[in-house]
Amino acid sequence: MQEVTGLPTIPQIWEALEGVKDPEIPVVSVVELKVARQVEVDGSHIRVTITPTFAGCPALSAMRDEIRSTLLGLGFETAEVSLKLDPPWTTDDLSQETLARLRQFGLSPPPKHGGNVRLVLDQPAACPYCGSDDTQVKNDFGSTACRSIHVCNNCHQPFEAFKPL
Amino acid sequence: MKADLKPDLASYLLAMADDEMILAHRNSEWTGHAPILEEDIAFTNLAVDEMGHAGLWYRLHADLADEDPETYPDRLVFFREAPFFRNIQMVELLRGDWAFSMLRQYLFDVAESVWLPDLASSSYQPLAETASKIAREEMYHLRHTQAWIRRLGRGTPESHRRLSQALDEIWPYALQLFVPQPAEEELAAEGLVPLKSAARETWLAKVEADFKASDLALPDGGEPPTTDRRAHSEHLVGLLTEMQSVARAYPGVSW
């Protein structure tokens, strides 16, 4: 690995990646979402490794393109965004701060499941508006594959939840 | 992996990718037409998911075929003619009514729930990683389609009648899922893939349990319409004509 003067440092690159948001959830970045996993610089070439949330997520290619153009914008001559599936992406890796941001955005955050999603599937999603646990699932699939649709029995507000994965 | 097994594993993965891709496209025909809005959204998302899974299998296929995993999948999907697709006939059948499409997706989901965990322990690491990723998402598919089979089976006489009729039509086609693929025994002997014949028994047991809860009887026996994945019904041509039209009219276009 060699350094080229004028190019940003690794921490600066991570900071720039914080500017790339999930187009479906514009309050969280690809870094917070744990989609961007690794940054490797070799001279004026940069490689960022990403992992998909849900494999069919149409936002992935948008994020990929934006990551690439962000990297090129930082002055790198060539930028590669490579895909890695292992270990599989999981909502358990999201930080408390990210979960709180999802809630503010109106999405009920996914419960921790420790690797066994089935354990938490029948647990009611907390209403992101009034906080009540008295809610019911209306549909396992919401406006995107990663969301489910619920309704709150307390404030009667329909809402979406980020599914545990 | 033994080098001489590479083409066989590549073919095996192409078959899996084609099954998911064609099923996804058929199911996408419900977008804007499903019986209720929420289900329109759910079934569309399910189709998008299956298409994403097809994409992952195509990438693995490309790796083994020494092709570029970024561009080869599009070439396979949009520029192959019907005889070169390796999907089973079940997934290309016309979408039929809601019961037909739901039952087809359900039978496919159960099969995936049977072999994905086995594929996740494949001795070919990229295959193991992909299967383990897909298995996590498939759990949601099966949960959804299982609930619909119960709903239709125990709903009204009309929904039950339609589901039973769909079952009679689909059943033999579903059995093609378990027809061994070329060199499958050699691949299985190396720990690369599980044997389809063993999966069939587990699949039947799972389906039977769900059918009991849905007041449906498991059909007796039955034979798949063909055991050759190169053989297709006339419906595949129509599907491909639509699916490939934009890519062929404007080669290389991006949108």
Side-chain angles (χ1 to χ4, degrees), chain A residues 58-80:
Chain A
L60 187 71
S61 62
M63 290 190 267
R64 216 176 167 172
D65 291 347
E66 207 184 323
I67 290 173
R68 191 180 286 118
S69 60
T70 299
L71 300 174
L72 292 174
L74 291 173
F76 289 97
E77 260 172 50
T78 47
E80 183 188 343

Side-chain angles (χ1 to χ4, degrees), chain B residues 28-78:
Chain B
S28 77
E29 292 173 4
W30 282 104
T31 308
H33 300 277
I36 52 173
L37 178 62
E38 282 172 354
E39 198 45 40
D40 197 303
I41 294 166
F43 212 56
T44 300
N45 266 308
L46 241 133
V48 171
D49 252 0
E50 300 294 27
M51 200 178 82
H53 298 168
L56 293 178
W57 298 129
Y58 283 127
R59 290 177 73 95
L60 290 185
H61 169 78
D63 278 338
L64 290 168
D66 295 319
E67 297 280 354
D68 176 12
E70 298 297 327
T71 55
Y72 198 52
D74 272 4
R75 265 167 59 208
L76 287 172
V77 171
F78 296 123

Side-chain angles (χ1 to χ4, degrees), chain A residues 44-113:
Chain A
S44 57
H45 175 72
I46 183 165
R47 179 161 76 163
V48 170
T49 305
I50 63 168
T51 197
T53 54
F54 278 71
C57 179
L60 187 71
S61 62
M63 290 190 267
R64 216 176 167 172
D65 291 347
E66 207 184 323
I67 290 173
R68 191 180 286 118
S69 60
T70 299
L71 300 174
L72 292 174
L74 291 173
F76 289 97
E77 260 172 50
T78 47
E80 183 188 343
V81 185
S82 65
L83 205 64
K84 186 156 172 31
L85 299 177
D86 186 64
W89 184 85
T90 167
T91 47
D92 268 9
D93 288 344
L94 301 178
S95 72
Q96 289 303 322
E97 199 191 347
T98 305
L99 297 180
R101 204 158 309 156
L102 291 176
R103 195 179 300 114
Q104 281 158 17
F105 182 64
L107 276 177
S108 181
K112 296 272 185 217
H113 55 77

